[in-house]
Amino acid sequence: MQYEFSIQVLPEVAGNPDMLQEQVSKQNKIPIEDIRHVEILKRSIDARQRVIKVNLKIRVYVHEEFTEKPILLPDYPDVSNAAEVVIIGAGPAGLFAALKCIELGYKPIVIERGKDVRSRRRDLKAINRDHIVHEDSNYCFGEGGAGTYSDGKLYTRSKKRGDVNRILRLLVGFGATDQILVEAHPHIGTNKLPGIIAAIRNKIIDHGGKVLFETRVTDLKIAHNEIQGIITHNGDIIDAKKVILATGHSARDIFELLYRKKVEIEAKPFALGVRVEHSQQLIDQIQYKCPTRGPFLPPSPYSIVKQVGGRGMYSFCMCPGGVIAPCATSSGEVVTNGWSPSKRDQPTSNSGIVVELRLKDFKDFSEYGPLAGMYFQKSIEQRAWHLAGETQKVPAQRLVDLTNGRVSTGLPETSYKPGLSSIDMSEVFPQFIYETLKEGFKAFDKSMRGYLTNEAVAHAPESRTSSPVRIPRDRKTLEHTQIKGLYPCGEGAGYAGGIISAAIDGEKCAEACVASLS
């Protein structure tokens, strides 16, 4: 017999199968000799009280042996000679759209401006060590998209958009640990994700699809408001009646192309701010309310939201045991982001702390029409680059100094490898963002006592939180509202916010695209 229970236990019990089995036996009055196995289905930490507990959803096998069932991938057909669908972008939206096309019997041609996931590493080293930005190969562009080398977080609130568990199971099938099916906030890690991305690409190619690297789309062939194909940077023309546009939130050249060709797009609100680094030990002490977290608790994350003067300020993409990375996509700009390895074992934690923006905030850039938000974003990145010394160093300020409007006389070494320049954040941001940050950090400290410390350092800017542009599409067909055969997809088009939601949207767009071909 199998029984499912929800149970709350101490961390050391959750981490020890024998102790957990004893606890299950005691609480549910099941003789321990009758229990063959306790399977953990879901796990989350409750740190709200002094005594930290772990919430578990479990399946108990009583008088029945447990047999682990492997997670199998779909039986993908060979689509070498099938009808083709062009997919622009090899991030999670594009890759999962390609897999879904194959599953449904269609041949995907994936076009990626950047390099394959392994080759990207040389260019990441160049930006970190030599301050060289490769515009088609960086933390944002290349196989796997921005998430591959920016943490691999798999948590999403977008559960109404599609089957989150399906995407997680596919990732396990391609090599991810099955613990992502269990944890409340699953995470793969930047060191593990590249192998999974490579396995997905190999599956696409092995079943007849194509993946073209270092191939940048420079034009769309459109006739009578219908897509006809694409043109690449080397002049090649690929004819196509169906194009899934999954280029990510930083593909500014694509937004410019659409605007230039009078393809309907619209400005979209987003958020912008700084990336703050603390010692992981301090965050653990604040969150777990104890001097050290011990061996049975993971490095603690945090999530915090405040209203400051009627404007939202919140943590974004928090990375426990992680580092801050340079994520510019063009020379003449600086951008920060964060990531954690799979073990989250670095001594520091970091999080984007961002301020809610509204369309009216972009009024000084109204001449750019629907690209106003993009140019607002770009202006801050370029200003930060200039202020910090016109390299990949970033403006930085100790946190208490920021709230007091005082330039930091010295900065500690942080995980951001290209380096820091001591700059007053009032010079980096418009006044309304700066004032919101100043007051917001004081409010943060009221919820997380000890958060506001001069040992913490703000790095600027954290500006690529989401796309500043939305590419409109029909709610039912998912086709662009103006251009037939064009399917705006994923984070860059304004319909996703991370790996899981982008993958879900990729599958949905592929299904809609194939349905129109059937």
Side-chain angles (χ1 to χ4, degrees):
M1 295 287 290
Q2 298 177 21
Y3 302 93
E4 287 191 8
F5 302 107
S6 292
I7 187 172
Q8 192 177 67
V9 298
L10 294 171
E12 55 266 34
V13 174
N16 185 307
D18 292 335
M19 291 176 68
L20 178 60
Q21 195 161 309
E22 289 176 10
Q23 189 83 3
V24 170
S25 171
K26 183 178 179 180
Q27 285 196 14
N28 295 283
K29 296 181 172 55
I30 303 172
I32 194 165
E33 61 271 17
D34 294 345
I35 299 176
R36 301 290 186 265
H37 182 74
V38 177
E39 181 183 12
I40 298 176
L41 304 176
K42 288 294 178 183
R43 176 171 43 227
S44 64
I45 294 171
D46 185 349
R48 292 173 295 178
Q49 306 300 323
R50 281 286 175 187
V51 178
I52 298 168
K53 298 290 184 69
V54 178
N55 297 317
L56 298 176
K57 181 180 179 182
I58 58 175
R59 180 178 292 133
V60 183
Y61 291 76
V62 179
H63 295 301
E64 181 179 334
E65 297 302 322
F66 168 73
T67 303
E68 189 168 0
K69 297 176 183 177
I71 292 177
L72 302 176
L73 293 171
D75 187 14
Y76 294 110
D78 187 291
V79 295
S80 301
N81 300 312
E84 296 175 348
V85 174
V86 168
I87 300 169
I88 306 175
L95 291 175
F96 277 81
L99 288 173
K100 179 56 73 172
C101 282
I102 294 173
E103 192 176 344
L104 296 174
Y106 287 78
K107 178 178 180 177
I109 301 177
V110 182
I111 299 169
E112 171 54 50
R113 70 192 300 160
K115 299 177 182 178
D116 69 86
V117 71
R118 301 278 178 199
S119 299
R120 287 176 71 182
R121 290 178 175 174
R122 290 190 294 272
D123 299 322
L124 302 187
K125 184 180 290 186
I127 192 172
N128 274 288
R129 185 186 63 193
D130 304 319
H131 302 254
I132 296 171
V133 180
H134 291 269
E135 296 195 356
D136 288 326
S137 180
N138 45 61
Y139 277 95
C140 290
F141 296 146
E143 185 182 25
T148 299
Y149 288 105
S150 297
D151 205 43
K153 288 185 183 68
L154 303 177
Y155 177 65
T156 179
R157 293 184 176 90
S158 306
K159 296 183 179 179
K160 292 182 180 179
R161 296 186 183 182
D163 189 347
V164 172
N165 201 54
R166 169 185 160 81
I167 302 299
L168 293 175
R169 291 177 69 83
L170 283 172
L171 287 168
V172 173
F174 282 108
T177 171
D178 60 5
Q179 290 305 294
I180 66 173
L181 301 171
V182 173
E183 299 296 342
H185 294 81
H187 167 259
I188 292 178
T190 293
N191 55 322
K192 300 288 187 182
L193 199 51
I196 295 164
I197 296 299
I200 292 174
R201 176 234 305 156
N202 290 334
K203 181 67 69 173
I204 291 168
I205 294 171
D206 290 347
H207 287 267
K210 283 187 178 180
V211 182
L212 307 178
F213 292 116
E214 299 183 68
T215 304
R216 182 165 19 95
V217 172
T218 55
D219 203 0
L220 301 175
K221 288 177 62 183
I222 299 172
H224 309 295
N225 282 342
E226 186 171 352
I227 199 78
Q228 302 292 313
I230 63 165
I231 300 174
T232 70
H233 71 287
N234 53 19
D236 290 342
I237 298 173
I238 301 176
D239 294 326
K241 292 290 186 183
K242 300 293 178 182
V243 173
I244 296 175
L245 187 63
T247 50
H249 62 39
S250 292
R252 289 171 172 167
D253 58 330
I254 294 296
F255 299 147
E256 295 271 16
L257 171 64
L258 296 174
Y259 185 49
R260 191 167 61 248
K261 294 184 76 70
K262 296 181 171 53
V263 174
E264 185 181 354
I265 58 176
E266 55 196 37
K268 182 179 79 61
F270 59 106
L272 183 149
V274 295
R275 186 154 283 266
V276 175
E277 183 170 276
H278 290 80
S279 75
Q280 183 60 51
Q281 184 179 24
L282 175 63
I283 297 302
D284 289 341
Q285 289 170 351
I286 294 171
Q287 295 295 85
Y288 291 144
K289 305 174 186 68
C290 56
T292 58
R293 70 172 183 266
F296 297 103
L297 288 171
S300 177
Y302 65 84
S303 176
I304 194 163
V305 179
K306 293 292 180 183
Q307 285 291 314
V308 184
R311 193 182 289 267
M313 176 171 154
Y314 56 92
S315 57
F316 168 82
C317 184
M318 195 275 157
C319 301
V323 302
I324 300 177
C327 292
T329 52
S330 296
S331 57
E333 66 187 27
V334 290
V335 179
T336 66
N337 200 346
W339 61 270
S340 302
S342 56
K343 292 183 179 179
R344 291 178 161 170
D345 55 0
Q346 298 302 298
T348 53
S349 70
N350 66 81
S351 180
I353 305 297
V354 295
V355 174
E356 170 196 15
L357 301 180
R358 300 157 184 162
L359 294 181
K360 64 181 181 181
D361 296 326
F362 312 143
K363 61 181 183 299
D364 289 346
F365 297 86
S366 58
E367 64 186 285
Y368 298 104
L371 301 180
M374 187 185 85
Y375 276 89
F376 174 90
Q377 178 190 62
K378 193 174 183 179
S379 70
I380 291 174
E381 295 168 359
Q382 291 175 337
R383 187 184 309 135
W385 174 79
H386 176 72
L387 288 167
E390 300 187 351
T391 66
Q392 282 303 298
K393 287 186 175 182
V394 293
Q397 196 169 12
R398 291 178 183 265
L399 212 52
V400 174
D401 289 344
L402 190 158
T403 61
N404 290 333
R406 180 177 60 227
V407 175
S408 300
T409 55
L411 292 169
E413 183 178 350
T414 72
S415 65
Y416 184 80
K417 294 299 184 186
L420 313 176
S421 292
S422 184
I423 304 291
D424 189 332
M425 291 299 172
S426 66
E427 297 185 55
V428 178
F429 297 108
Q431 189 70 14
F432 76 93
I433 294 178
Y434 172 65
E435 292 295 337
T436 304
L437 289 170
K438 279 179 61 177
E439 297 307 312
F441 283 125
K442 295 173 187 176
F444 275 29
D445 196 60
K446 292 177 181 178
S447 296
M448 291 179 63
R449 291 292 184 186
Y451 185 93
L452 182 56
T453 168
N454 240 13
E455 296 307 305
V457 180
H459 306 60
E462 166 74 62
S463 50
R464 307 288 178 93
T465 55
S466 67
S467 176
V469 171
R470 180 175 286 109
I471 307 173
R473 67 188 189 190
D474 184 273
R475 294 183 67 178
K476 290 185 178 179
T477 67
L478 305 188
E479 227 171 6
H480 188 271
T481 52
Q482 174 193 2
I483 306 301
K484 187 177 180 181
L486 181 66
Y487 293 81
C489 181
E491 196 163 348
Y495 299 101
I499 291 173
I500 296 297
S501 58
I504 289 172
D505 202 57
E507 288 204 330
K508 286 169 59 178
C509 285
E511 289 170 343
C513 181
V514 165
S516 70
L517 286 167
S518 303

